[in-house]
Amino acid sequence: QVRPVEYGGGLVQAGGSLSLSCTASGRTFWQYSKGWFRQVPGKEREVVASISWSGDKTYYADSVKGRFTVSADNAMNTVFLQMNSLKPEDTGVYYCAVGASNGPGSHLDEFVDWGRGTQVTVSS
């Protein structure tokens, strides 16, 4: 089992940038896909971005394409999410997750180990 821990959430003005990172320990991190998800109250958790185990394939939700970048450093057991040109609708709790396959993955059920989340708030 992998135990992801997210870092880097906070409050930022619209148009600003924020970087999230996630480190994990446990089963071999580098062999599996990694993903970022977000959830707002009253709505289902949704995928934001994901990356394959090798880092050569990525997936982005349409709402973040061109603004967010997912990357990973397998040697450091860390996955990153760089968020630029943030919008108020990007507000939510952001979760890091590790998948059960090579990935990248675009559905919640492709990911099995979840962090506790970090709050991102974008003010207008």
Side-chain angles (χ1 to χ4, degrees):
Q1 184 178 7
V2 177
R3 292 173 291 277
V5 178
E6 301 92 345
Y7 301 92
L11 173 65
V12 64
Q13 287 188 334
S17 298
L18 205 60
S19 296
L20 304 182
S21 63
C22 170
T23 61
S25 61
R27 64 181 168 99
T28 311
F29 180 83
W30 64 271
Q31 290 182 321
Y32 301 96
S33 61
K34 277 77 71 174
W36 288 97
F37 298 77
R38 69 185 175 200
Q39 189 169 21
V40 296
K43 292 190 177 181
E44 293 185 352
R45 193 172 299 184
E46 60 178 1
V47 62
V48 174
S50 61
I51 188 167
S52 62
W53 73 274
S54 60
D56 64 339
K57 297 178 183 177
T58 56
Y59 172 87
Y60 295 95
D62 287 343
S63 59
V64 306
K65 283 181 180 177
R67 301 188 297 120
F68 290 12
T69 302
V70 60
S71 60
D73 184 339
N74 286 331
M76 297 296 293
N77 277 12
T78 302
V79 59
F80 305 93
L81 185 67
Q82 177 65 41
M83 304 183 292
N84 299 326
S85 302
L86 282 161
K87 304 175 181 180
E89 51 263 43
D90 294 319
T91 294
V93 178
Y94 281 69
Y95 297 89
C96 171
V98 181
S101 67
N102 294 341
S106 59
H107 297 95
L108 270 69
D109 57 6
E110 297 178 82
F111 295 83
V112 296
D113 293 304
W114 293 83
R116 294 187 175 184
T118 184
Q119 178 70 43
V120 171
T121 303
V122 184
S123 62
S124 57

